[in-house]
Amino acid sequence: MKKIVLLIFACVQLAVAFGQGKNSRIANLRSFDERPLHFGFLIGVNTMDFRVYNTGVVGSDGVLRYGDVTSLTPGLNIGIVSSYRLTRNLNLRFLPGISFGQRNLRFAKYDAEGNFIEYEEEPLKIKSTFLEFPILLKYNAFRMHNAKPYIVGGFNTRYDLAKNKQDGLLLTSLDGYLEVGAGFDFYLTYFRLSVEAKMSIGLSDMLDPKGTGEPGDEVYTEALSKLQSRIFSLTFYFE
């Protein structure tokens, strides 16, 4: 994954060097923002997280467990860009794509009196492959020569193509997300490059209380009352 991240940044650096042209003092793509509709593609990295709600109930094995996401693992997202100009400063954007990521949910074990015993040796590795269908509004500030800041917000529907029976837990596949972010547009000679940081807040409980049905897995479902998804992403847009 580190190699993928380094490759993305290297590609962005090459694109910027290629797109800057010979004279950076000239305003590039002067009529770009006047187009009613334009397209492009995106590539980025993400970290997936859970907001974990523990029951605080002793499991069927006599052990009290508290779960938490103890480490964040980088993931990858790619997609296409469709942007429609509503007003001078407002665009409607549809960004269908696919993202890959993993969440490591680790449990701490306590006895019935609340005394710490130990951590589980291995976390539950919850892998996801999401189909994404975000519809966002992008509000643009005024252009400053060849750069322009903006904010973005909207709603994203994600469907997880990975197996719903993850390690130890049964999760739902469909969730809706509120998304908010900010970024900068950079107008290069041949295209516009945008760099954006965004947070996605899942609205549904991803935990299925039925559990996996596998022997020994019921203790993890008993330990949790709710799992809500959180995703943070850094995305590069080429338009």
Side-chain angles (χ1 to χ4, degrees), residues 116-151:
F116 175 76
I117 303 174
E118 62 181 356
Y119 284 101
E120 297 271 3
E121 290 186 8
E122 294 292 333
L124 302 185
K125 297 180 179 180
I126 301 175
K127 299 179 180 180
S128 294
T129 302
F130 286 116
L131 286 180
E132 303 190 12
F133 304 95
I135 299 178
L136 307 174
L137 287 174
K138 177 183 177 182
Y139 181 79
N140 307 285
F142 291 104
R143 178 170 170 172
M144 302 175 294
H145 190 49
N146 284 326
K148 181 180 64 180
Y150 67 86
I151 58 175

PDB file of all heavy atoms in Angstrom, residues 116-151:
ATOM      1  N   PHE A 116      -8.666  -5.831  34.058  1.00  0.00           N
ATOM      2  CA  PHE A 116      -8.080  -6.084  32.744  1.00  0.00           C
ATOM      3  C   PHE A 116      -7.333  -7.413  32.738  1.00  0.00           C
ATOM      4  O   PHE A 116      -6.568  -7.721  33.652  1.00  0.00           O
ATOM      5  CB  PHE A 116      -7.129  -4.953  32.362  1.00  0.00           C
ATOM      6  CG  PHE A 116      -6.395  -5.187  31.074  1.00  0.00           C
ATOM      7  CD1 PHE A 116      -7.038  -5.037  29.854  1.00  0.00           C
ATOM      8  CD2 PHE A 116      -5.058  -5.569  31.072  1.00  0.00           C
ATOM      9  CE1 PHE A 116      -6.362  -5.249  28.656  1.00  0.00           C
ATOM     10  CE2 PHE A 116      -4.373  -5.781  29.884  1.00  0.00           C
ATOM     11  CZ  PHE A 116      -5.031  -5.618  28.670  1.00  0.00           C
ATOM     12  N   ILE A 117      -7.557  -8.193  31.678  1.00  0.00           N
ATOM     13  CA  ILE A 117      -6.869  -9.473  31.521  1.00  0.00           C
ATOM     14  C   ILE A 117      -5.777  -9.348  30.458  1.00  0.00           C
ATOM     15  O   ILE A 117      -4.598  -9.472  30.743  1.00  0.00           O
ATOM     16  CB  ILE A 117      -7.857 -10.596  31.144  1.00  0.00           C
ATOM     17  CG1 ILE A 117      -8.976 -10.709  32.185  1.00  0.00           C
ATOM     18  CG2 ILE A 117      -7.123 -11.914  30.957  1.00  0.00           C
ATOM     19  CD1 ILE A 117     -10.067 -11.695  31.800  1.00  0.00           C
ATOM     20  N   GLU A 118      -6.196  -9.062  29.221  1.00  0.00           N
ATOM     21  CA  GLU A 118      -5.251  -8.962  28.118  1.00  0.00           C
ATOM     22  C   GLU A 118      -5.984  -8.473  26.879  1.00  0.00           C
ATOM     23  O   GLU A 118      -7.213  -8.381  26.850  1.00  0.00           O
ATOM     24  CB  GLU A 118      -4.635 -10.332  27.816  1.00  0.00           C
ATOM     25  CG  GLU A 118      -5.663 -11.373  27.386  1.00  0.00           C
ATOM     26  CD  GLU A 118      -5.059 -12.735  27.115  1.00  0.00           C
ATOM     27  OE1 GLU A 118      -3.821 -12.844  27.183  1.00  0.00           O
ATOM     28  OE2 GLU A 118      -5.829 -13.670  26.823  1.00  0.00           O
ATOM     29  N   TYR A 119      -5.219  -8.150  25.861  1.00  0.00           N
ATOM     30  CA  TYR A 119      -5.785  -7.850  24.548  1.00  0.00           C
ATOM     31  C   TYR A 119      -5.875  -9.129  23.726  1.00  0.00           C
ATOM     32  O   TYR A 119      -5.067 -10.050  23.883  1.00  0.00           O
ATOM     33  CB  TYR A 119      -4.924  -6.836  23.797  1.00  0.00           C
ATOM     34  CG  TYR A 119      -5.072  -5.409  24.280  1.00  0.00           C
ATOM     35  CD1 TYR A 119      -4.122  -4.846  25.123  1.00  0.00           C
ATOM     36  CD2 TYR A 119      -6.158  -4.634  23.882  1.00  0.00           C
ATOM     37  CE1 TYR A 119      -4.249  -3.540  25.564  1.00  0.00           C
ATOM     38  CE2 TYR A 119      -6.288  -3.332  24.320  1.00  0.00           C
ATOM     39  CZ  TYR A 119      -5.336  -2.788  25.156  1.00  0.00           C
ATOM     40  OH  TYR A 119      -5.464  -1.497  25.596  1.00  0.00           O
ATOM     41  N   GLU A 120      -6.874  -9.198  22.860  1.00  0.00           N
ATOM     42  CA  GLU A 120      -6.910 -10.296  21.897  1.00  0.00           C
ATOM     43  C   GLU A 120      -5.629 -10.262  21.072  1.00  0.00           C
ATOM     44  O   GLU A 120      -5.122  -9.190  20.720  1.00  0.00           O
ATOM     45  CB  GLU A 120      -8.119 -10.139  20.969  1.00  0.00           C
ATOM     46  CG  GLU A 120      -9.458 -10.207  21.679  1.00  0.00           C
ATOM     47  CD  GLU A 120      -9.981 -11.623  21.770  1.00  0.00           C
ATOM     48  OE1 GLU A 120      -9.264 -12.542  21.319  1.00  0.00           O
ATOM     49  OE2 GLU A 120     -11.086 -11.818  22.293  1.00  0.00           O
ATOM     50  N   GLU A 121      -5.084 -11.441  20.773  1.00  0.00           N
ATOM     51  CA  GLU A 121      -3.815 -11.494  20.051  1.00  0.00           C
ATOM     52  C   GLU A 121      -3.908 -10.830  18.686  1.00  0.00           C
ATOM     53  O   GLU A 121      -3.023 -10.078  18.284  1.00  0.00           O
ATOM     54  CB  GLU A 121      -3.361 -12.954  19.900  1.00  0.00           C
ATOM     55  CG  GLU A 121      -2.916 -13.600  21.199  1.00  0.00           C
ATOM     56  CD  GLU A 121      -2.336 -14.975  20.967  1.00  0.00           C
ATOM     57  OE1 GLU A 121      -2.145 -15.341  19.773  1.00  0.00           O
ATOM     58  OE2 GLU A 121      -2.066 -15.676  21.944  1.00  0.00           O
ATOM     59  N   GLU A 122      -4.962 -11.092  17.953  1.00  0.00           N
ATOM     60  CA  GLU A 122      -5.123 -10.550  16.612  1.00  0.00           C
ATOM     61  C   GLU A 122      -6.422  -9.754  16.527  1.00  0.00           C
ATOM     62  O   GLU A 122      -7.456 -10.176  17.058  1.00  0.00           O
ATOM     63  CB  GLU A 122      -5.141 -11.667  15.566  1.00  0.00           C
ATOM     64  CG  GLU A 122      -3.830 -12.416  15.423  1.00  0.00           C
ATOM     65  CD  GLU A 122      -2.736 -11.554  14.837  1.00  0.00           C
ATOM     66  OE1 GLU A 122      -3.062 -10.605  14.092  1.00  0.00           O
ATOM     67  OE2 GLU A 122      -1.559 -11.825  15.130  1.00  0.00           O
ATOM     68  N   PRO A 123      -6.405  -8.588  15.869  1.00  0.00           N
ATOM     69  CA  PRO A 123      -7.653  -7.846  15.671  1.00  0.00           C
ATOM     70  C   PRO A 123      -8.520  -8.516  14.607  1.00  0.00           C
ATOM     71  O   PRO A 123      -8.043  -9.335  13.810  1.00  0.00           O
ATOM     72  CB  PRO A 123      -7.152  -6.479  15.183  1.00  0.00           C
ATOM     73  CG  PRO A 123      -5.860  -6.783  14.503  1.00  0.00           C
ATOM     74  CD  PRO A 123      -5.240  -7.913  15.282  1.00  0.00           C
ATOM     75  N   LEU A 124      -9.794  -8.181  14.624  1.00  0.00           N
ATOM     76  CA  LEU A 124     -10.679  -8.609  13.539  1.00  0.00           C
ATOM     77  C   LEU A 124     -10.393  -7.713  12.337  1.00  0.00           C
ATOM     78  O   LEU A 124     -10.549  -6.492  12.399  1.00  0.00           O
ATOM     79  CB  LEU A 124     -12.142  -8.489  13.955  1.00  0.00           C
ATOM     80  CG  LEU A 124     -12.573  -9.267  15.207  1.00  0.00           C
ATOM     81  CD1 LEU A 124     -14.076  -9.144  15.411  1.00  0.00           C
ATOM     82  CD2 LEU A 124     -12.161 -10.729  15.124  1.00  0.00           C
ATOM     83  N   LYS A 125      -9.992  -8.309  11.227  1.00  0.00           N
ATOM     84  CA  LYS A 125      -9.653  -7.548  10.025  1.00  0.00           C
ATOM     85  C   LYS A 125     -10.889  -7.457   9.121  1.00  0.00           C
ATOM     86  O   LYS A 125     -11.278  -8.435   8.487  1.00  0.00           O
ATOM     87  CB  LYS A 125      -8.482  -8.206   9.292  1.00  0.00           C
ATOM     88  CG  LYS A 125      -7.200  -8.223  10.114  1.00  0.00           C
ATOM     89  CD  LYS A 125      -6.059  -8.885   9.369  1.00  0.00           C
ATOM     90  CE  LYS A 125      -4.783  -8.873  10.209  1.00  0.00           C
ATOM     91  NZ  LYS A 125      -3.647  -9.525   9.498  1.00  0.00           N
ATOM     92  N   ILE A 126     -11.483  -6.294   9.112  1.00  0.00           N
ATOM     93  CA  ILE A 126     -12.725  -6.073   8.380  1.00  0.00           C
ATOM     94  C   ILE A 126     -12.389  -5.348   7.079  1.00  0.00           C
ATOM     95  O   ILE A 126     -12.101  -4.151   7.074  1.00  0.00           O
ATOM     96  CB  ILE A 126     -13.724  -5.276   9.229  1.00  0.00           C
ATOM     97  CG1 ILE A 126     -14.019  -6.044  10.514  1.00  0.00           C
ATOM     98  CG2 ILE A 126     -14.994  -5.007   8.447  1.00  0.00           C
ATOM     99  CD1 ILE A 126     -14.903  -5.305  11.483  1.00  0.00           C
ATOM    100  N   LYS A 127     -12.418  -6.078   5.978  1.00  0.00           N
ATOM    101  CA  LYS A 127     -12.067  -5.529   4.676  1.00  0.00           C
ATOM    102  C   LYS A 127     -13.335  -5.122   3.923  1.00  0.00           C
ATOM    103  O   LYS A 127     -14.357  -5.798   4.009  1.00  0.00           O
ATOM    104  CB  LYS A 127     -11.271  -6.549   3.861  1.00  0.00           C
ATOM    105  CG  LYS A 127      -9.958  -6.954   4.528  1.00  0.00           C
ATOM    106  CD  LYS A 127      -9.216  -7.986   3.702  1.00  0.00           C
ATOM    107  CE  LYS A 127      -7.905  -8.391   4.381  1.00  0.00           C
ATOM    108  NZ  LYS A 127      -7.159  -9.405   3.599  1.00  0.00           N
ATOM    109  N   SER A 128     -13.233  -4.026   3.182  1.00  0.00           N
ATOM    110  CA  SER A 128     -14.385  -3.523   2.439  1.00  0.00           C
ATOM    111  C   SER A 128     -13.973  -3.149   1.022  1.00  0.00           C
ATOM    112  O   SER A 128     -12.875  -2.625   0.796  1.00  0.00           O
ATOM    113  CB  SER A 128     -14.989  -2.291   3.125  1.00  0.00           C
ATOM    114  OG  SER A 128     -15.550  -2.622   4.377  1.00  0.00           O
ATOM    115  N   THR A 129     -14.870  -3.422   0.084  1.00  0.00           N
ATOM    116  CA  THR A 129     -14.761  -2.958  -1.300  1.00  0.00           C
ATOM    117  C   THR A 129     -16.071  -2.261  -1.628  1.00  0.00           C
ATOM    118  O   THR A 129     -17.090  -2.907  -1.865  1.00  0.00           O
ATOM    119  CB  THR A 129     -14.513  -4.124  -2.264  1.00  0.00           C
ATOM    120  OG1 THR A 129     -13.313  -4.808  -1.886  1.00  0.00           O
ATOM    121  CG2 THR A 129     -14.377  -3.616  -3.691  1.00  0.00           C
ATOM    122  N   PHE A 130     -16.047  -0.948  -1.611  1.00  0.00           N
ATOM    123  CA  PHE A 130     -17.268  -0.170  -1.745  1.00  0.00           C
ATOM    124  C   PHE A 130     -17.498   0.294  -3.183  1.00  0.00           C
ATOM    125  O   PHE A 130     -16.586   0.834  -3.828  1.00  0.00           O
ATOM    126  CB  PHE A 130     -17.216   1.085  -0.861  1.00  0.00           C
ATOM    127  CG  PHE A 130     -17.386   0.825   0.606  1.00  0.00           C
ATOM    128  CD1 PHE A 130     -16.364   1.098   1.489  1.00  0.00           C
ATOM    129  CD2 PHE A 130     -18.578   0.317   1.110  1.00  0.00           C
ATOM    130  CE1 PHE A 130     -16.514   0.878   2.846  1.00  0.00           C
ATOM    131  CE2 PHE A 130     -18.742   0.088   2.458  1.00  0.00           C
ATOM    132  CZ  PHE A 130     -17.707   0.365   3.337  1.00  0.00           C
ATOM    133  N   LEU A 131     -18.723   0.105  -3.666  1.00  0.00           N
ATOM    134  CA  LEU A 131     -19.214   0.870  -4.806  1.00  0.00           C
ATOM    135  C   LEU A 131     -19.782   2.168  -4.251  1.00  0.00           C
ATOM    136  O   LEU A 131     -20.597   2.141  -3.324  1.00  0.00           O
ATOM    137  CB  LEU A 131     -20.295   0.103  -5.561  1.00  0.00           C
ATOM    138  CG  LEU A 131     -19.854  -1.080  -6.431  1.00  0.00           C
ATOM    139  CD1 LEU A 131     -21.067  -1.712  -7.083  1.00  0.00           C
ATOM    140  CD2 LEU A 131     -18.846  -0.637  -7.491  1.00  0.00           C
ATOM    141  N   GLU A 132     -19.369   3.313  -4.811  1.00  0.00           N
ATOM    142  CA  GLU A 132     -19.764   4.603  -4.275  1.00  0.00           C
ATOM    143  C   GLU A 132     -20.548   5.402  -5.315  1.00  0.00           C
ATOM    144  O   GLU A 132     -20.216   5.389  -6.503  1.00  0.00           O
ATOM    145  CB  GLU A 132     -18.524   5.401  -3.857  1.00  0.00           C
ATOM    146  CG  GLU A 132     -17.639   4.700  -2.858  1.00  0.00           C
ATOM    147  CD  GLU A 132     -16.568   5.634  -2.301  1.00  0.00           C
ATOM    148  OE1 GLU A 132     -16.670   6.858  -2.531  1.00  0.00           O
ATOM    149  OE2 GLU A 132     -15.648   5.145  -1.637  1.00  0.00           O
ATOM    150  N   PHE A 133     -21.575   6.134  -4.821  1.00  0.00           N
ATOM    151  CA  PHE A 133     -22.394   6.959  -5.698  1.00  0.00           C
ATOM    152  C   PHE A 133     -22.657   8.312  -5.036  1.00  0.00           C
ATOM    153  O   PHE A 133     -23.794   8.630  -4.674  1.00  0.00           O
ATOM    154  CB  PHE A 133     -23.705   6.238  -6.027  1.00  0.00           C
ATOM    155  CG  PHE A 133     -23.516   4.880  -6.640  1.00  0.00           C
ATOM    156  CD1 PHE A 133     -23.535   3.739  -5.844  1.00  0.00           C
ATOM    157  CD2 PHE A 133     -23.290   4.745  -8.003  1.00  0.00           C
ATOM    158  CE1 PHE A 133     -23.350   2.479  -6.408  1.00  0.00           C
ATOM    159  CE2 PHE A 133     -23.105   3.488  -8.572  1.00  0.00           C
ATOM    160  CZ  PHE A 133     -23.138   2.355  -7.774  1.00  0.00           C
ATOM    161  N   PRO A 134     -21.605   9.134  -4.875  1.00  0.00           N
ATOM    162  CA  PRO A 134     -21.782  10.415  -4.198  1.00  0.00           C
ATOM    163  C   PRO A 134     -22.386  11.483  -5.121  1.00  0.00           C
ATOM    164  O   PRO A 134     -22.032  11.589  -6.295  1.00  0.00           O
ATOM    165  CB  PRO A 134     -20.348  10.785  -3.789  1.00  0.00           C
ATOM    166  CG  PRO A 134     -19.488  10.089  -4.778  1.00  0.00           C
ATOM    167  CD  PRO A 134     -20.200   8.833  -5.177  1.00  0.00           C
ATOM    168  N   ILE A 135     -23.289  12.269  -4.553  1.00  0.00           N
ATOM    169  CA  ILE A 135     -23.823  13.460  -5.209  1.00  0.00           C
ATOM    170  C   ILE A 135     -23.523  14.634  -4.293  1.00  0.00           C
ATOM    171  O   ILE A 135     -24.020  14.690  -3.159  1.00  0.00           O
ATOM    172  CB  ILE A 135     -25.336  13.337  -5.466  1.00  0.00           C
ATOM    173  CG1 ILE A 135     -25.613  12.149  -6.392  1.00  0.00           C
ATOM    174  CG2 ILE A 135     -25.884  14.624  -6.086  1.00  0.00           C
ATOM    175  CD1 ILE A 135     -27.081  11.912  -6.655  1.00  0.00           C
ATOM    176  N   LEU A 136     -22.686  15.562  -4.764  1.00  0.00           N
ATOM    177  CA  LEU A 136     -22.155  16.612  -3.918  1.00  0.00           C
ATOM    178  C   LEU A 136     -22.377  17.988  -4.544  1.00  0.00           C
ATOM    179  O   LEU A 136     -22.457  18.127  -5.771  1.00  0.00           O
ATOM    180  CB  LEU A 136     -20.654  16.408  -3.690  1.00  0.00           C
ATOM    181  CG  LEU A 136     -20.210  15.040  -3.159  1.00  0.00           C
ATOM    182  CD1 LEU A 136     -18.693  14.968  -3.128  1.00  0.00           C
ATOM    183  CD2 LEU A 136     -20.786  14.783  -1.784  1.00  0.00           C
ATOM    184  N   LEU A 137     -22.450  18.985  -3.675  1.00  0.00           N
ATOM    185  CA  LEU A 137     -22.461  20.375  -4.096  1.00  0.00           C
ATOM    186  C   LEU A 137     -21.095  20.981  -3.779  1.00  0.00           C
ATOM    187  O   LEU A 137     -20.607  20.856  -2.653  1.00  0.00           O
ATOM    188  CB  LEU A 137     -23.561  21.158  -3.390  1.00  0.00           C
ATOM    189  CG  LEU A 137     -24.998  20.883  -3.845  1.00  0.00           C
ATOM    190  CD1 LEU A 137     -25.980  21.618  -2.945  1.00  0.00           C
ATOM    191  CD2 LEU A 137     -25.198  21.299  -5.302  1.00  0.00           C
ATOM    192  N   LYS A 138     -20.516  21.629  -4.761  1.00  0.00           N
ATOM    193  CA  LYS A 138     -19.203  22.251  -4.610  1.00  0.00           C
ATOM    194  C   LYS A 138     -19.356  23.761  -4.696  1.00  0.00           C
ATOM    195  O   LYS A 138     -19.790  24.287  -5.731  1.00  0.00           O
ATOM    196  CB  LYS A 138     -18.254  21.740  -5.692  1.00  0.00           C
ATOM    197  CG  LYS A 138     -16.871  22.370  -5.671  1.00  0.00           C
ATOM    198  CD  LYS A 138     -16.035  21.840  -6.829  1.00  0.00           C
ATOM    199  CE  LYS A 138     -14.668  22.511  -6.880  1.00  0.00           C
ATOM    200  NZ  LYS A 138     -13.874  22.023  -8.046  1.00  0.00           N
ATOM    201  N   TYR A 139     -19.002  24.454  -3.616  1.00  0.00           N
ATOM    202  CA  TYR A 139     -19.074  25.911  -3.602  1.00  0.00           C
ATOM    203  C   TYR A 139     -17.676  26.478  -3.785  1.00  0.00           C
ATOM    204  O   TYR A 139     -16.771  26.214  -2.985  1.00  0.00           O
ATOM    205  CB  TYR A 139     -19.679  26.425  -2.295  1.00  0.00           C
ATOM    206  CG  TYR A 139     -19.789  27.934  -2.251  1.00  0.00           C
ATOM    207  CD1 TYR A 139     -20.819  28.590  -2.913  1.00  0.00           C
ATOM    208  CD2 TYR A 139     -18.836  28.693  -1.576  1.00  0.00           C
ATOM    209  CE1 TYR A 139     -20.917  29.972  -2.892  1.00  0.00           C
ATOM    210  CE2 TYR A 139     -18.918  30.077  -1.548  1.00  0.00           C
ATOM    211  CZ  TYR A 139     -19.959  30.706  -2.219  1.00  0.00           C
ATOM    212  OH  TYR A 139     -20.040  32.076  -2.207  1.00  0.00           O
ATOM    213  N   ASN A 140     -17.507  27.261  -4.830  1.00  0.00           N
ATOM    214  CA  ASN A 140     -16.202  27.784  -5.203  1.00  0.00           C
ATOM    215  C   ASN A 140     -16.019  29.221  -4.718  1.00  0.00           C
ATOM    216  O   ASN A 140     -16.922  30.057  -4.885  1.00  0.00           O
ATOM    217  CB  ASN A 140     -16.034  27.765  -6.725  1.00  0.00           C
ATOM    218  CG  ASN A 140     -16.305  26.404  -7.323  1.00  0.00           C
ATOM    219  OD1 ASN A 140     -15.496  25.499  -7.217  1.00  0.00           O
ATOM    220  ND2 ASN A 140     -17.468  26.250  -7.960  1.00  0.00           N
ATOM    221  N   ALA A 141     -14.852  29.498  -4.159  1.00  0.00           N
ATOM    222  CA  ALA A 141     -14.490  30.872  -3.865  1.00  0.00           C
ATOM    223  C   ALA A 141     -14.024  31.531  -5.163  1.00  0.00           C
ATOM    224  O   ALA A 141     -13.990  30.900  -6.224  1.00  0.00           O
ATOM    225  CB  ALA A 141     -13.399  30.919  -2.808  1.00  0.00           C
ATOM    226  N   PHE A 142     -13.672  32.806  -5.097  1.00  0.00           N
ATOM    227  CA  PHE A 142     -13.196  33.489  -6.289  1.00  0.00           C
ATOM    228  C   PHE A 142     -11.793  33.015  -6.642  1.00  0.00           C
ATOM    229  O   PHE A 142     -10.958  32.749  -5.775  1.00  0.00           O
ATOM    230  CB  PHE A 142     -13.218  35.003  -6.078  1.00  0.00           C
ATOM    231  CG  PHE A 142     -14.607  35.567  -5.998  1.00  0.00           C
ATOM    232  CD1 PHE A 142     -15.153  35.940  -4.785  1.00  0.00           C
ATOM    233  CD2 PHE A 142     -15.380  35.696  -7.143  1.00  0.00           C
ATOM    234  CE1 PHE A 142     -16.439  36.449  -4.700  1.00  0.00           C
ATOM    235  CE2 PHE A 142     -16.666  36.206  -7.081  1.00  0.00           C
ATOM    236  CZ  PHE A 142     -17.197  36.587  -5.862  1.00  0.00           C
ATOM    237  N   ARG A 143     -11.554  32.921  -7.922  1.00  0.00           N
ATOM    238  CA  ARG A 143     -10.273  32.426  -8.422  1.00  0.00           C
ATOM    239  C   ARG A 143      -9.157  33.419  -8.126  1.00  0.00           C
ATOM    240  O   ARG A 143      -9.318  34.635  -8.310  1.00  0.00           O
ATOM    241  CB  ARG A 143     -10.371  32.170  -9.921  1.00  0.00           C
ATOM    242  CG  ARG A 143      -9.085  31.689 -10.556  1.00  0.00           C
ATOM    243  CD  ARG A 143      -9.318  31.236 -11.980  1.00  0.00           C
ATOM    244  NE  ARG A 143      -8.053  30.987 -12.681  1.00  0.00           N
ATOM    245  CZ  ARG A 143      -7.969  30.430 -13.885  1.00  0.00           C
ATOM    246  NH1 ARG A 143      -9.077  30.065 -14.520  1.00  0.00           N
ATOM    247  NH2 ARG A 143      -6.786  30.244 -14.448  1.00  0.00           N
ATOM    248  N   MET A 144      -8.011  32.882  -7.670  1.00  0.00           N
ATOM    249  CA  MET A 144      -6.826  33.687  -7.418  1.00  0.00           C
ATOM    250  C   MET A 144      -5.757  33.259  -8.421  1.00  0.00           C
ATOM    251  O   MET A 144      -5.021  32.302  -8.190  1.00  0.00           O
ATOM    252  CB  MET A 144      -6.338  33.480  -5.979  1.00  0.00           C
ATOM    253  CG  MET A 144      -7.376  33.826  -4.910  1.00  0.00           C
ATOM    254  SD  MET A 144      -6.808  33.418  -3.246  1.00  0.00           S
ATOM    255  CE  MET A 144      -6.727  31.617  -3.345  1.00  0.00           C
ATOM    256  N   HIS A 145      -5.690  33.948  -9.541  1.00  0.00           N
ATOM    257  CA  HIS A 145      -4.774  33.629 -10.629  1.00  0.00           C
ATOM    258  C   HIS A 145      -4.998  32.186 -11.078  1.00  0.00           C
ATOM    259  O   HIS A 145      -6.011  31.901 -11.703  1.00  0.00           O
ATOM    260  CB  HIS A 145      -3.326  33.888 -10.209  1.00  0.00           C
ATOM    261  CG  HIS A 145      -2.350  33.813 -11.350  1.00  0.00           C
ATOM    262  ND1 HIS A 145      -2.552  34.471 -12.541  1.00  0.00           N
ATOM    263  CD2 HIS A 145      -1.166  33.140 -11.486  1.00  0.00           C
ATOM    264  CE1 HIS A 145      -1.545  34.217 -13.366  1.00  0.00           C
ATOM    265  NE2 HIS A 145      -0.694  33.410 -12.750  1.00  0.00           N
ATOM    266  N   ASN A 146      -4.110  31.265 -10.718  1.00  0.00           N
ATOM    267  CA  ASN A 146      -4.251  29.876 -11.164  1.00  0.00           C
ATOM    268  C   ASN A 146      -4.616  28.925 -10.031  1.00  0.00           C
ATOM    269  O   ASN A 146      -4.324  27.728 -10.098  1.00  0.00           O
ATOM    270  CB  ASN A 146      -2.960  29.405 -11.834  1.00  0.00           C
ATOM    271  CG  ASN A 146      -2.809  29.969 -13.233  1.00  0.00           C
ATOM    272  OD1 ASN A 146      -3.795  30.161 -13.944  1.00  0.00           O
ATOM    273  ND2 ASN A 146      -1.580  30.247 -13.634  1.00  0.00           N
ATOM    274  N   ALA A 147      -5.247  29.430  -8.995  1.00  0.00           N
ATOM    275  CA  ALA A 147      -5.683  28.596  -7.872  1.00  0.00           C
ATOM    276  C   ALA A 147      -7.007  29.117  -7.332  1.00  0.00           C
ATOM    277  O   ALA A 147      -7.340  30.301  -7.483  1.00  0.00           O
ATOM    278  CB  ALA A 147      -4.627  28.571  -6.771  1.00  0.00           C
ATOM    279  N   LYS A 148      -7.761  28.211  -6.705  1.00  0.00           N
ATOM    280  CA  LYS A 148      -9.066  28.596  -6.173  1.00  0.00           C
ATOM    281  C   LYS A 148      -9.462  27.632  -5.058  1.00  0.00           C
ATOM    282  O   LYS A 148      -9.486  26.411  -5.264  1.00  0.00           O
ATOM    283  CB  LYS A 148     -10.117  28.573  -7.281  1.00  0.00           C
ATOM    284  CG  LYS A 148     -11.520  28.991  -6.852  1.00  0.00           C
ATOM    285  CD  LYS A 148     -12.476  28.934  -8.038  1.00  0.00           C
ATOM    286  CE  LYS A 148     -12.624  27.519  -8.553  1.00  0.00           C
ATOM    287  NZ  LYS A 148     -13.564  27.460  -9.711  1.00  0.00           N
ATOM    288  N   PRO A 149      -9.777  28.129  -3.853  1.00  0.00           N
ATOM    289  CA  PRO A 149     -10.253  27.247  -2.778  1.00  0.00           C
ATOM    290  C   PRO A 149     -11.745  26.944  -2.939  1.00  0.00           C
ATOM    291  O   PRO A 149     -12.480  27.702  -3.587  1.00  0.00           O
ATOM    292  CB  PRO A 149      -9.985  28.060  -1.518  1.00  0.00           C
ATOM    293  CG  PRO A 149     -10.092  29.477  -1.965  1.00  0.00           C
ATOM    294  CD  PRO A 149      -9.591  29.518  -3.390  1.00  0.00           C
ATOM    295  N   TYR A 150     -12.172  25.849  -2.322  1.00  0.00           N
ATOM    296  CA  TYR A 150     -13.591  25.492  -2.376  1.00  0.00           C
ATOM    297  C   TYR A 150     -13.951  24.612  -1.188  1.00  0.00           C
ATOM    298  O   TYR A 150     -13.082  24.049  -0.510  1.00  0.00           O
ATOM    299  CB  TYR A 150     -13.927  24.780  -3.687  1.00  0.00           C
ATOM    300  CG  TYR A 150     -13.306  23.411  -3.851  1.00  0.00           C
ATOM    301  CD1 TYR A 150     -13.922  22.263  -3.348  1.00  0.00           C
ATOM    302  CD2 TYR A 150     -12.092  23.252  -4.523  1.00  0.00           C
ATOM    303  CE1 TYR A 150     -13.360  21.011  -3.503  1.00  0.00           C
ATOM    304  CE2 TYR A 150     -11.525  22.000  -4.680  1.00  0.00           C
ATOM    305  CZ  TYR A 150     -12.156  20.885  -4.172  1.00  0.00           C
ATOM    306  OH  TYR A 150     -11.598  19.631  -4.329  1.00  0.00           O
ATOM    307  N   ILE A 151     -15.260  24.507  -0.944  1.00  0.00           N
ATOM    308  CA  ILE A 151     -15.788  23.555   0.026  1.00  0.00           C
ATOM    309  C   ILE A 151     -16.801  22.677  -0.685  1.00  0.00           C
ATOM    310  O   ILE A 151     -17.379  23.069  -1.714  1.00  0.00           O
ATOM    311  CB  ILE A 151     -16.424  24.252   1.249  1.00  0.00           C
ATOM    312  CG1 ILE A 151     -17.547  25.197   0.811  1.00  0.00           C
ATOM    313  CG2 ILE A 151     -15.370  24.986   2.061  1.00  0.00           C
ATOM    314  CD1 ILE A 151     -18.304  25.819   1.966  1.00  0.00           C
TER     315      ILE A 151
END
